[in-house]
């Protein structure tokens, strides 16, 4: 059988130097024999790193064996190996050439693809943001190496934002993080805009520099009514710039500047704006750093302003002195309807001053928010006196103070005489069973209150009993919040009995009361009874296990006319079995009545 080779190796045998045979010999087996027939090899010669392909078709037979012997003999006649130094050099030199060539190519590519930044002649000309581009996604920085591509993407995104501003009447761009540079581009879309009425640029990293983008834009806009810049660190300087611009704006009615690092100087600028701008109705300055001086400036503005309806100053540092200054402004004001002073540490003395100013107020106050202000029973007395006299008050918030049972009694007496207040929030005031009982008695003669918040008060089961006995047949309460009141399973029994007869309560909050399975079972029995009012029941954080879940699931299945559409059992101790039972009950209700029940667990 013939032996063929693309290199005609055996027809012209010759000596192969050892440095060219290293990889060739490696293909042979350990005993010196060649691999089997029809085998192909790729052999690297090692010279200038080039590759030559050797295809050998091996065959057996006498002729083939003879030719193999000729080949072996030719190999045995090779000269002695090269000296060690030359042998090493044959490997080191090509490797060094390769490394050097690679380094040169790398430097060439780097020079072509990454241009050198332009150097300024002086240190003062250097931009503080050199090498960094603003980005849309919060927490990302766009490096200069891909600046061209990013700039294109940024422009495309900004164009989409601008299109929104020209298309929709309400646009929320909060949290886009486009910063000052993006704002300068987008602000142009507000000029002479005849579409958008409400826009939010909240939490976008806008500083005082970016506010300048609105100059000449907001003056020309005659449609925008709500403008939100909350969550941007514009500071007093930015607020001053904005106020100078809004002096000549005739459309914006609601200005939101919550959490913008605004201090007394910024509050002073707002006050000057209120004296000159006749269109603002709502100003929100919550969670800033306004102190007594800023409150004084705003009080002076209230005397001259005749259009402002709502003033929000929650989470500032007014204190008793700030409240006293504000009270003087209220005396001469006729337009204010809502006063939000939550979390200003005004105390009993501050409340006394404010109530005095409100008593001389010529307008119609409908909402008072005095929550979280360190008010005790003494301060509650002044609030109660105002509630008695008021003919317009609808909403009273004393949440998270410390009026106790004594203060609750004062408020209850006022509610017996008042016929306008619909929402009263007394949560977190250390009111116990005695105080709750007095408030419950006031509900017998009051059919106006529809929202009652008594959460975070340690009323216990006795307080739940006193309240349930009244609400069973009296009152007009639609939302009842009793979370974190320590009522326990016994209190749940009283609440459940009340639900059998009450036909007004639609939202019931019983979170974190330690109801456990016993309390859940009591409520489940009441759910089996037809209740046309209850739509939302919150039983979260109550240590309810599977048995309680089974009881509630059976109640939902048994009552085909159940009106509950929201049931919260989150943060309890349910396993997959209890969860499965609730899911089956939800599906059953839908199949039987086509009503969906949202169950959270």
């Amino acid at each position: 059988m013939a032996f063929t080779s693309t290199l005609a190796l055996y027809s012209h045998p010759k000596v192969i130097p050892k440095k060219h045979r290293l990889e060739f010999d490696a293909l042979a087996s350990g005993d010196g024999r060649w691999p089997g027939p029809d085998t192909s090899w790729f052999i690297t010669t090692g010279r200038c790193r080039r590759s030559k392909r050797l295809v050998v078709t091996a065959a057996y037979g006498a002729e083939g064996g003879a030719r193999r012997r000729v080949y072996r003999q030719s190999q045995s006649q090779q000269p002695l190996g090269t000296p060690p130094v030359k042998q090493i050099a044959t490997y080191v030199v090509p490797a060094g050439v390769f490394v050097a060539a690679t380094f040169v190519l790398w430097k060439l590519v780097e020079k072509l693809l990454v241009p050198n930044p332009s150097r300024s002649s002086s240190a003062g000309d250097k931009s503080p943001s050199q090498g960094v581009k603003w980005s849309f996604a919060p927490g990302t920085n766009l490096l200069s190496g891909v600046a061209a591509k990013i700039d294109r993407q940024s422009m495309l995104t900004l164009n989409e934002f601008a299109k929104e501003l020209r298309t929709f009447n309400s646009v929320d761009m909060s949290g886009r993080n486009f910063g000052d540079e993006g704002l300068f581009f987008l602000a142009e879309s507000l000029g002479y805009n005849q579409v958008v009425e409400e826009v939010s640029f909240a939490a976008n990293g806008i500083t005082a520099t970016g506010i300048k983008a609105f100059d000449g834009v907001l003056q020309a806009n005659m449609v925008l009514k709500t403008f939100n810049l909350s969550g941007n660190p514009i500071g007093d300087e930015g607020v001053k710039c904005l106020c100078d611009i809004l002096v000549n704006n005739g459309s914006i009615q609601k200005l939101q500047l919550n959490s913008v690092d605004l201090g007394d100087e910024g509050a002073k600028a707002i006050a000057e704006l209120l004296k000159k701008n006749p269109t603002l109705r709502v100003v929100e300055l919550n969670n800033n750093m306004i102190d007594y001086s800023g409150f004084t400036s705003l009080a002076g503005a209230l005397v001259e302003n005749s259009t402002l309806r709502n003033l929000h100053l929650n989470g500032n540092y007014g204190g008793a002195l700030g409240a006293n200054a504000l009270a003087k402004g209220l005396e001469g004001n006729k337009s204010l309807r809502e006063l939000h002073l939550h979390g200003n540490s005004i105390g009993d003395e501050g409340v006394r001053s404010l109530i005095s100013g409100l008593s001389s107020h010529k307008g119609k106050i409908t909402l008072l928010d005095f929550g979280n202000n360190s008010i005790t029973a003494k301060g509650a007395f002044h609030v109660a006196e105002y509630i008695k006299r008021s003919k317009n008050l609808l909403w009273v918030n004393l949440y998270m103070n410390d009026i106790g049972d004594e203060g609750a009694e004062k408020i209850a007496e006022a509610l017996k005489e008042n016929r306008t207040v619909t929402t009263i929030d007394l949560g977190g005031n250390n009111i116990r069973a005695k105080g709750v009982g007095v408030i419950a008695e006031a509900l017998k003669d009051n059919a106006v209150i529809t929202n009652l918040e008594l959460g975070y008060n340690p009323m216990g089961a006795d307080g739940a009993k006193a309240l349930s006995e009244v609400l069973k047949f009296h009152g007009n309460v639609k939302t009842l919040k009793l979370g974190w009141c320590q009522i326990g399973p016994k209190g749940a029994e009283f609440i459940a009995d009340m639900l059998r007869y009450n036909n007004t309560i639609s939202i019931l909050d019983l979170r974190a009361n330690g109801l456990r399975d016993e309390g859940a079972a009591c409520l489940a029995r009441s759910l089996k009874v037809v209740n046309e009012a209850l739509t939302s029941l919150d039983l979260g954080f109550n240590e309810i296990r599977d048995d309680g879940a089974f009881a509630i699931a059976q109640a939902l299945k048994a009552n085909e006319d159940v009106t509950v559409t929201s049931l919260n059992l989150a943060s309890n101790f349910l396993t997959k079995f209890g969860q499965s039972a609730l899911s089956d009950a939800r599906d059953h209700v839908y199949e039987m009545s086509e009503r969906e029940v949202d169950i959270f667990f």
Side-chain angles (χ1 to χ4, degrees):
M1 182 180 295
F3 184 94
T4 61
S5 171
T6 57
L7 298 180
L9 181 62
Y10 294 136
S11 59
H12 301 283
K14 62 179 180 179
V15 178
I16 302 176
K18 186 175 182 180
K19 64 181 179 180
H20 292 168
R21 288 193 299 111
L22 293 176
E23 297 183 31
F24 183 90
D25 294 341
L27 294 175
S29 60
D31 57 1
R33 290 177 297 177
W34 294 94
D38 300 325
T39 305
S40 299
W41 296 278
F42 292 89
I43 303 175
T44 304
T45 64
R47 180 179 298 175
C48 299
R49 310 304 298 176
R50 295 178 183 176
S51 297
K52 293 184 179 179
R53 184 178 183 184
L54 174 62
V55 179
V56 180
T57 301
Y60 295 100
E63 184 180 356
R67 292 182 177 178
R68 283 196 296 273
R69 284 194 298 273
V70 171
Y71 177 77
R72 292 192 183 114
Q73 291 173 0
S74 67
Q75 295 298 308
S76 63
Q77 295 173 0
Q78 64 181 351
L80 295 174
T82 57
V85 175
K86 293 183 179 180
Q87 185 176 359
I88 295 174
T90 59
Y91 293 97
V92 173
V93 172
V97 172
F98 175 77
V99 172
T102 303
F103 180 79
V104 172
L105 287 175
W106 173 257
K107 284 296 182 181
L108 180 61
V109 171
E110 184 179 20
K111 197 173 198 62
L112 292 174
L113 297 183
V114 184
N116 292 328
S118 58
R119 298 183 178 180
S120 176
S121 58
S122 62
D125 294 334
K126 292 183 180 180
S127 172
S129 60
Q130 186 175 4
V132 178
K133 298 291 182 179
W134 58 268
S135 61
F136 297 101
T140 61
N141 289 319
L142 310 180
L143 300 180
S144 58
V146 289
K149 179 179 178 181
I150 294 304
D151 283 343
R152 289 194 297 270
Q153 293 176 347
S154 300
M155 290 304 298
L156 289 175
T157 306
L158 286 174
N159 281 321
E160 290 297 322
F161 292 168
K163 184 178 179 180
E164 290 184 39
L165 288 172
R166 298 187 184 100
T167 305
F168 304 104
N169 62 353
S170 179
V171 179
D172 184 2
M173 291 190 179
S174 59
R176 307 293 181 91
N177 209 33
F178 46 70
D180 294 336
E181 297 179 33
L183 185 61
F184 271 97
F185 179 87
L186 293 173
E188 298 178 2
S189 300
L190 292 177
Y192 300 101
N193 188 304
Q194 299 299 315
V195 178
V196 65
E197 296 182 357
E198 179 179 353
V199 64
S200 174
F201 290 133
N204 273 296
I206 301 169
T207 67
T209 301
I211 298 300
K212 299 175 183 178
F214 296 117
D215 193 10
V217 175
L218 294 180
Q219 296 94 323
N221 188 298
M222 302 304 295
V223 177
L224 188 63
K225 291 181 172 58
T226 300
F227 192 46
N228 188 358
L229 286 172
S230 300
N232 290 296
I234 63 176
D236 288 342
E237 182 182 351
V239 172
K240 290 178 182 179
C241 179
L242 181 64
C243 289
D244 290 340
I245 295 171
L246 293 180
V247 167
N248 298 316
N249 177 274
S251 65
I252 295 177
Q253 298 179 8
K254 184 176 182 179
L255 178 62
Q256 296 171 283
L257 295 175
N258 305 312
S259 303
V260 295
D261 297 339
L262 183 151
D264 289 339
E265 291 299 317
K268 183 178 180 180
I270 294 290
E272 293 300 316
L273 173 64
L274 291 174
K275 293 178 182 179
K276 301 174 183 178
N277 186 300
T279 59
L280 283 172
R281 298 291 185 272
V282 180
V283 174
E284 296 184 8
L285 305 176
N286 300 321
N287 302 319
N288 283 295
M289 300 175 289
I290 306 174
D291 211 326
Y292 161 71
S293 177
F295 272 67
T296 302
S297 299
L298 293 170
L302 289 178
V303 176
E304 299 185 31
N305 184 282
S306 60
T307 58
L308 187 66
R309 296 288 185 270
N310 304 345
L311 180 59
H312 297 249
L313 293 170
N314 297 332
N316 281 285
Y317 301 91
L321 292 176
N324 184 58
L326 202 60
K328 296 178 180 179
L330 291 172
E331 293 179 1
N333 181 273
K334 298 180 180 180
S335 64
L336 200 64
R337 297 289 183 271
E338 297 183 8
L339 181 59
H340 300 258
L341 292 173
H342 190 103
N344 272 279
S345 302
I346 61 178
D348 294 335
E349 186 61 28
V351 168
R352 185 195 65 78
S353 299
L354 286 169
I355 294 300
S356 176
L358 290 170
S359 299
S360 303
H361 180 68
K362 306 301 181 182
K364 300 177 180 179
I365 294 291
T366 60
L367 184 148
L368 286 178
D369 185 354
F370 291 155
N372 195 20
N373 270 298
S374 304
I375 299 172
T376 67
K378 183 178 179 181
F381 168 77
H382 299 294
V383 176
E385 290 299 311
Y386 183 76
I387 293 175
K388 289 180 182 179
R389 297 190 300 267
S390 175
K391 305 298 181 183
N392 303 290
L393 194 60
L394 302 175
W395 199 90
V396 178
N397 182 14
L398 289 173
Y399 184 74
M400 286 297 170
N401 284 292
D402 192 19
I403 67 174
D405 289 343
E406 183 181 354
E409 292 176 3
K410 300 296 182 182
I411 298 296
E413 292 174 4
L415 293 176
K416 290 181 180 180
E417 300 182 26
N418 181 278
R419 289 296 179 269
T420 61
V421 174
T422 61
T423 300
I424 181 78
D425 190 341
L426 299 175
N429 270 285
N430 198 29
I431 301 174
R432 300 182 181 275
K434 181 182 178 182
V436 172
V438 177
I439 293 174
E441 287 297 318
L443 296 176
K444 285 184 177 180
D445 302 320
N446 188 316
V448 180
I449 294 178
T450 57
N451 300 294
L452 179 61
E453 166 69 89
L454 290 172
Y456 298 95
N457 285 301
M459 66 176 70
D462 292 338
K465 179 181 179 181
L467 189 61
S468 297
E469 289 179 350
V470 173
L471 294 179
K472 187 184 294 185
F473 302 109
H474 302 280
N476 189 33
V477 175
K478 292 179 170 56
T479 300
L480 179 61
K481 296 187 177 182
L482 300 175
W484 286 268
C485 286
Q486 304 175 14
I487 67 175
K490 190 65 176 177
E493 184 177 346
F494 297 125
I495 297 292
D497 183 58
M498 177 266 293
L499 289 176
R500 293 173 179 265
Y501 305 96
N502 180 277
N503 58 4
T504 63
I505 296 177
S506 62
I507 299 175
L508 178 60
D509 182 358
L510 295 175
R511 285 175 296 169
N513 274 292
L515 303 185
R516 298 194 291 275
D517 288 342
E518 300 92 320
C522 291
L523 292 168
R525 287 193 291 270
S526 295
L527 290 178
K528 291 182 179 180
V529 180
V530 176
N531 186 314
E532 298 179 355
L534 188 64
T535 60
S536 177
L537 178 60
D538 196 338
L539 300 176
F541 301 95
N542 268 297
E543 304 173 29
I544 299 172
R545 300 180 184 273
D546 287 344
D547 288 343
F550 293 152
I552 293 175
Q554 290 299 320
L556 293 175
K557 290 182 178 181
N559 187 355
E560 296 182 359
D561 298 319
V562 65
T563 57
V564 174
T565 57
S566 177
L567 177 61
N568 182 26
L569 285 165
S571 301
N572 282 291
F573 302 143
L574 306 184
T575 68
K576 61 181 180 180
F577 300 107
Q579 295 175 3
S580 178
L582 291 169
S583 298
D584 291 343
R586 176 191 59 201
D587 297 339
H588 177 81
V589 171
Y590 182 78
E591 291 175 1
M592 299 300 295
S593 61
E594 295 187 353
R595 282 197 293 264
E596 293 186 359
V597 181
D598 295 326
I599 301 179
F600 306 95
F601 43 72

